[in-house]
Amino acid sequence: MKTCLIVIDAQESFRQRPYWNEALGAVYLAEQNALIAGCATAGVPIVRVFHTDAPVDAGNPFAVESGHVRPIGGLAAFDATATFTKHRHSALVNSGLDVWLTQNGIGRLIVSGIRTEQCCETTTRHASDLGWEVDYVLDATLTFDMLQPDGKPLSAADIKVRTATVLQGRFATVCTVAQALERAGA
């Protein structure tokens, strides 16, 4: 089955947010870079997805005008087979990615990027519902601590456990970098 790596929202915009955590970012980047390197070596196509949204002004780090909608510092340079821009959580909504995947005969997606429980998880669920097989590389995703509705903290680690729990066997195969590369024939 033809496989494609999707690197979702690995962009400098996140460093501009107050919740940015350099230590978590460094761990993520090491895993993301290993996944990119393995896919590049194996000839697995690598797709880059950027997120943009309003307001359209330099003060919004997700607006092109900010200059932050570019690869995040520390991300390995790679030649993207294709690049898409999204405006919703799912990379498959009005970005053209779904058409490109179909036209290129892609049957399995390797999902990675920022944020674990938001754009990466939403894209995974959407892709599964549309019929793609999905390998979700939890270690090659990044998220941050959040506050629950009752004001209690929810750690990034707990968010990742929750995401893995709800995706595994229902929407995706939750994999390590090595497992995803092996499944892709890398």
Side-chain angles (χ1 to χ4, degrees), residues 36-96:
I36 289 168
C39 285
T41 298
V44 172
I46 305 171
V47 170
R48 182 188 311 272
V49 177
F50 288 116
H51 183 91
T52 64
D53 63 27
V56 179
D57 67 58
N60 172 9
F62 288 90
V64 172
E65 292 75 8
S66 72
H68 299 301
V69 180
R70 58 183 163 82
I72 193 165
L75 183 69
F78 63 91
D79 291 324
T81 306
T83 298
F84 297 91
T85 300
K86 66 181 186 61
H87 310 284
R88 299 284 186 252
H89 290 99
S90 173
L92 297 166
V93 174
N94 297 326
S95 67

Side-chain angles (χ1 to χ4, degrees), residues 78-120:
F78 63 91
D79 291 324
T81 306
T83 298
F84 297 91
T85 300
K86 66 181 186 61
H87 310 284
R88 299 284 186 252
H89 290 99
S90 173
L92 297 166
V93 174
N94 297 326
S95 67
L97 175 59
D98 56 338
V99 174
W100 184 91
L101 293 168
T102 301
Q103 289 175 341
N104 286 277
I106 305 295
R108 175 185 292 130
L109 310 180
I110 301 172
V111 172
S112 65
I114 306 174
R115 292 183 60 166
T116 305
E117 78 293 352
Q118 291 183 37
C119 297
C120 295

Side-chain angles (χ1 to χ4, degrees), residues 39 42 106 123 142 160 171 184:
C39 285
I106 305 295
T123 299
L142 175 63
K160 283 188 152 195
F171 299 97

